[in-house]
Amino acid sequence: MTLEDFTEFDGEGDDVGGDDGGGTRDDTVEGTRDDAGRGTSGDGDVVAGDDGTTGGDVDTDPVNDADPDAFTTYDVEPAGEDAGLGVVSVSQGLRVAEEEDETALRAFVTTGNRDSVRIGKYLIVPYPDGERLFCRITALEYAQEFQSDDATEIHARRQMRRDDFTERDYKFMAELEPMSVVYDDDDGMSRRMTDRVPKPGAVVEEATDDTEIKTGLTIPEEGVFLGHLSVGGQKVRTAAEPPTVDYRITDDYADGDPLAFRHTLVAGGTGSGKTHASKNVLRQYLDADRTYPMDDGREARMAVVQFDPQDEYAQMHDDNPTMDDGFARQLEREGIAYGGHDDTIALVPESAGATYPGEGHRAEQVEFTIPFSMVDEYDMPWLVAGSGLNENQYPALLTLLNRFFRDYGSSGTYAQFLSYLDDPALKEELHESGRVHEATFDAVKRRVRGVPGGVFDGDATPITELDHRLVRPGGLSVVPTYHLPSSRQKEIVVLAVSTMLVGDKLSNDPRSDRVKETPLLIGMDEAHNFLADADNVQARKVVQTFTEAAKQGRKERLGLFLITQDPQDVAESVFKQVNTKVVLNLGDEDAIKSVNIPSNLAGKVPYMEKGQMVVYSPDNSEPVELIGLSTCVTRHGD
C-alpha cells in the first residue's frame, strides 16, 4: 500500500456530512466499533449514519448472522408511552437546602418533550408515599452528551450542511426551583415548605391539576378575580373545565383582613392595558353578592369612588357592546361579575368657563363645587397654599385662616378671604405683634391669590352636602377632572374630595355617618400626580394624611386603589403600605425597580404584551404571572 491509495480529505467534501444532513462512512477508511456500539472512523471519531444519527441508533435492517463483523443494534425507544417530561437527574448533584443557592435540583428532559418546556413552567415531582414536590423551571440548557470538541471546523461544517438539529447529540437539562410540598389531607389538599429531596430518577410531570396548582402557589379558591395564571404569555392549561387557572385576591376575614383594605397598586405604561384591567377589578368589588361585615353586625356592600383624569371610568355604567354571548357564558361559569353597573354616578366638579362633555357614557351626572369652608372643617389649609411655602410661611397661613374663620364662621368664602387679606390694618397688626412678619404676610397673600378662579364656592351643590350620593353601598361614583382647565385645579378637586373621605373614615366624630359606616374603596388614577414626595410643606401634609389612611385602612374598612404609570414617584411612606401590586408593561428601569417585585418576574415586565401582568401580593400567594381578560367586562373605549 502506498500513499496514493488513500483518499485525500480537504475538509469540504461529503465524507463528513452530505448535503442532506447525514454523514457517510467512506469505504476507503477502515472503521471500528467502540464499546457503545457506535461507528467510528479509523482515528476514533464517531461517524454519523445516513439519517444523521450515530451508528448506535435504531437500525431496522435484520442482522446478518452470517457476517461475523456485523453488529447487533438495539432500539433506544422503550415500549409503551412516556409519562411526564423527564426524570430527576443526579449527574450534577441532587440537593434541597434551606438556602436557595445551595439547592441543586435538575431534570433530564427527553427528546420529544424539549420543545414544550419553558422557563417558569410549573412541574410536579412525586415522592414514593404520595406527596408531591411542586416546583418551577428556572433555567434550561443543552449539555454535551459525549466527550467531544464541538468548536472545530469539521463539526461546524457538518452542522452547517444539515437541515435539522440532532437532539440526541446533547442532553437537555432543566434547573428546578422547589416551591412547596403538596399533599392530600382531610381538608382536601394542603402544602408546606419544601423539606424533602425527591428520589433520583423520579418522573417529572407538568402540573395540570387546578387544585394542585392553586395549593402549590397558595392561590385562594374564592375572592376578587384578577386574571388567569400564565407562563411566558401563555395561559396555564389544566385537565379541568374550564382548563384555565383563575387567580383571585382574598376578600374575607377568614384568613385575615380582605386585601382590598390593605391597598392595591396598578402600574403600567401607556398602552399596557392598566385602565382595562382596573375596570375589570373594580367591577368585581361592585358585585351584588360581595359584602363585608361591619362592627355593628351589618353586612354592607362596598362603595367605590374613582377619580378619573381621562373620563374613562363612568363608562362602567354601560354594558360592553363588543362582548359576545359565548364570552359572557364563560364569565358566568367562572363566577366573574360583568355587565354595566347601573348604580354609577358621575359627580362633576363645576368650573367657571369649563364644560364637561360626558358623551362617552349614559351615567347620571351631578355637578358639585368645593366650598371654601372645607379648608377649615377638614383641616386642609394646604388647599389654598399652592406649592412652595416654606416652614415660616405655612404657620403664617394657618394664623390667617384661623383668624378668618373665627370672624366669618363656616360660611366664609374664598372671595371674602381675599378681601380679608387686603386689609392693611390686619397686616400691620400682625407685624407689630410679632405673629406674622410683613414680608411673610405678602408672600402668603401671593400664594393664596394664585389659586385658579372658579375652584371654590361655585353655583353647584357643595360636595359636603352630597355625601349620600358620593358614597353609596354598592355604588360607583366617578369624579372626572378631564374638563378642568389647569393641573392645579385638578389637584385641588382630587385632594379636597379624597381628603374629605379619608377624614370622615378616620375620625371618631365624623361629619358624615354615611362615609364612616360604609366599606369604601378610593380609586386614584395618575396617583403619582397627587401622592408624590416633594420638598414642600403641602406635599408632606398630603402624604402624611394618606399614609395614615393606608395604615388604618384595615380597621376602618378603607382601601386605596392607586393607578399610575410612574410608580417611582409615589411617596415611599404610602407605597410601603400597599400589599398587592399589579404590574403591567413598564419600559422605564426606575419604574420597574420601584415596584420591588422578584427579579425573575421583573425581567419580564418590559416585554409583556397588552393585558399581561405580574401580581406580587405576599399575603395572598406566591408571585405569579397572569393574563387579564381579553374583553373588558364593562364598556371601554370609544
Side-chain angles (χ1 to χ4, degrees):
M1 181 177 294
T2 66
L3 183 63
E4 287 75 14
D5 293 328
F6 290 94
T7 300
E8 181 180 358
F9 176 66
D10 62 2
E12 298 183 2
D14 289 337
D15 300 280
V16 176
D19 289 339
D20 61 353
T24 60
R25 287 190 295 270
D26 190 77
D27 291 338
T28 61
V29 180
E30 183 177 0
T32 62
R33 291 281 177 173
D34 64 10
D35 291 340
R38 294 185 292 271
T40 64
S41 65
D43 59 2
D45 289 334
V46 177
V47 180
D50 290 339
D51 62 353
T53 63
T54 57
D57 285 327
V58 181
D59 184 358
T60 56
D61 293 335
V63 176
N64 183 4
D65 293 331
D67 184 357
D69 295 327
F71 293 93
T72 301
T73 60
Y74 298 94
D75 190 343
V76 299
E77 300 292 343
E81 295 184 1
D82 292 345
L85 299 175
V87 295
V88 173
S89 168
V90 296
S91 62
Q92 295 186 29
L94 177 58
R95 177 185 174 91
V96 171
E98 291 182 343
E99 299 295 332
E100 182 179 346
D101 57 358
E102 294 182 5
T103 293
L105 181 61
R106 294 164 65 87
F108 173 82
V109 181
T110 56
T111 304
N113 293 309
R114 294 176 181 181
D115 288 340
S116 66
V117 296
R118 296 288 186 274
I119 290 177
K121 184 180 286 287
Y122 299 109
L123 305 177
I124 290 290
V125 182
Y127 294 103
D129 59 3
E131 293 187 339
R132 284 88 66 198
L133 176 65
F134 185 82
C135 54
R136 69 181 187 92
I137 298 175
T138 58
L140 295 168
E141 70 169 343
Y142 280 102
Q144 286 186 324
E145 175 73 27
F146 310 111
Q147 291 295 326
S148 63
D149 185 356
D150 61 0
T152 65
E153 182 73 15
I154 292 177
H155 182 89
R157 297 290 293 277
R158 176 190 297 174
Q159 292 300 116
M160 292 166 66
R161 291 169 181 254
R162 286 179 172 173
D163 293 330
D164 59 356
F165 174 72
T166 307
E167 288 277 353
R168 288 176 184 162
D169 286 353
Y170 302 90
K171 295 183 290 186
F172 192 68
M173 307 300 295
E175 189 170 323
L176 312 181
E177 175 194 0
M179 303 184 73
S180 61
V181 173
V182 296
Y183 57 94
D184 301 312
D185 59 14
D186 295 337
D187 296 326
M189 192 177 295
S190 298
R191 63 166 264 167
R192 66 172 186 271
M193 64 174 291
T194 305
D195 57 2
R196 303 178 64 184
V197 64
K199 300 297 183 183
V203 175
V204 178
E205 303 175 76
E206 184 175 352
T208 58
D209 181 87
D210 179 86
T211 303
E212 201 165 48
I213 293 172
K214 287 186 175 181
T215 302
L217 294 171
T218 65
I219 299 174
E221 286 288 346
E222 304 292 335
V224 175
F225 174 85
L226 261 64
H228 291 108
L229 188 67
S230 66
V231 172
Q234 301 295 319
K235 293 180 183 177
V236 172
R237 298 287 173 174
T238 71
E241 181 58 40
T244 50
V245 180
D246 56 315
Y247 183 92
R248 297 178 184 271
I249 290 288
T250 298
D251 198 45
D252 59 42
Y253 286 91
D255 299 316
D257 299 307
L259 292 183
F261 305 133
R262 298 184 64 185
H263 320 304
T264 303
L265 175 80
V266 179
T270 302
S272 65
K274 64 178 181 297
T275 303
H276 177 129
S278 297
K279 285 183 176 181
N280 285 343
V281 175
L282 293 174
R283 180 63 182 86
Q284 307 312 304
Y285 284 113
L286 296 166
D287 185 24
D289 295 329
R290 194 172 302 283
T291 61
Y292 302 87
M294 305 301 288
D295 292 337
D296 57 7
R298 293 178 300 116
E299 288 284 333
R301 292 178 63 188
M302 181 83 85
V304 176
V305 177
Q306 175 68 37
F307 295 96
D308 183 5
Q310 298 297 329
D311 199 23
E312 297 174 298
Y313 290 89
Q315 291 181 332
M316 292 178 65
H317 173 274
D318 306 333
D319 292 339
N320 189 343
T322 66
M323 182 181 296
D324 58 40
D325 293 340
F327 191 79
R329 287 192 296 270
Q330 175 187 328
L331 297 178
E332 289 176 358
R333 287 195 300 270
E334 296 192 54
I336 301 171
Y338 70 95
H341 189 64
D342 291 337
D343 189 4
T344 298
I345 297 177
L347 283 149
V348 182
E350 180 197 47
S351 176
T355 302
Y356 173 65
E359 298 172 349
H361 61 84
R362 297 195 301 272
E364 178 185 1
Q365 299 177 32
V366 177
E367 280 197 329
F368 72 89
T369 187
I370 304 294
F372 187 67
S373 60
M374 286 184 68
V375 172
D376 179 52
E377 292 175 0
Y378 287 91
D379 191 23
M380 292 187 281
W382 36 266
L383 275 185
V384 295
S387 61
L389 285 185
N390 59 38
E391 298 292 343
N392 293 324
Q393 295 164 352
Y394 192 77
L397 174 64
L398 294 180
T399 298
L400 292 169
L401 286 171
N402 290 337
R403 181 157 176 162
F404 170 77
F405 284 112
R406 184 192 66 192
D407 295 343
Y408 283 79
S410 59
S411 61
T413 66
Y414 174 66
Q416 290 172 332
F417 185 56
L418 292 181
S419 297
Y420 187 73
L421 295 181
D422 285 337
D423 184 0
L426 174 64
K427 175 180 175 181
E428 183 179 354
E429 176 191 342
L430 293 176
H431 176 69
E432 290 181 353
S433 66
R435 299 182 65 185
V436 178
H437 190 277
E438 59 181 2
T440 303
F441 186 100
D442 290 337
V444 171
K445 183 177 177 179
R446 286 194 301 271
R447 294 295 182 186
V448 172
R449 288 192 174 278
V451 174
V455 172
F456 296 112
D457 308 315
D459 295 331
T461 305
I463 191 63
T464 49
E465 298 176 15
L466 292 172
D467 58 320
H468 278 63
R469 305 221 69 186
L470 180 62
V471 175
R472 308 178 311 284
L476 169 62
S477 294
V478 178
V479 181
T481 58
Y482 180 76
H483 64 293
L484 297 178
S486 71
S487 59
R488 176 67 179 135
Q489 202 162 347
K490 296 175 183 180
E491 180 184 19
I492 290 175
V493 168
V494 172
L495 293 179
V497 179
S498 59
T499 303
M500 181 186 79
L501 295 171
V502 168
D504 278 333
K505 264 298 182 183
L506 302 187
S507 175
N508 293 323
D509 185 23
R511 290 168 177 79
S512 172
D513 291 334
R514 164 62 69 85
V515 175
K516 181 70 174 180
E517 296 171 359
T518 304
L520 177 61
L521 191 67
I522 298 177
M524 189 177 289
D525 206 338
E526 296 187 1
H528 56 279
N529 287 334
F530 310 105
L531 300 179
D533 266 329
D535 189 21
N536 63 69
V537 178
Q538 294 78 11
R540 289 199 294 271
K541 294 293 183 181
V542 171
V543 168
Q544 181 181 350
T545 298
F546 279 86
T547 300
E548 190 63 25
K551 288 180 178 178
Q552 297 192 38
R554 288 181 287 179
K555 181 179 68 174
E556 300 296 345
R557 294 170 179 81
L558 168 65
L560 302 179
F561 193 89
L562 309 179
I563 307 163
T564 179
Q565 61 183 352
D566 297 312
Q568 72 276 18
D569 291 338
V570 176
E572 180 67 19
S573 59
V574 175
F575 203 106
K576 288 194 300 186
Q577 303 302 319
V578 173
N579 183 270
T580 301
K581 300 170 188 173
V582 180
V583 184
L584 294 96
N585 180 282
L586 285 169
D588 185 82
E589 184 177 341
D590 291 336
I592 297 171
K593 184 178 180 180
S594 71
V595 294
N596 194 29
I597 59 178
S599 58
N600 64 294
L601 294 175
K604 298 181 179 181
V605 169
Y607 307 101
M608 293 194 300
E609 300 292 332
K610 185 173 183 177
Q612 288 181 246
M613 64 190 81
V614 168
V615 176
Y616 184 43
S617 185
D619 292 335
N620 192 70
S621 75
E622 296 287 340
V624 293
E625 175 193 331
L626 304 181
I627 292 180
L629 295 175
S630 58
T631 300
C632 191
V633 297
T634 67
R635 183 176 178 181
H636 179 62
D638 296 333

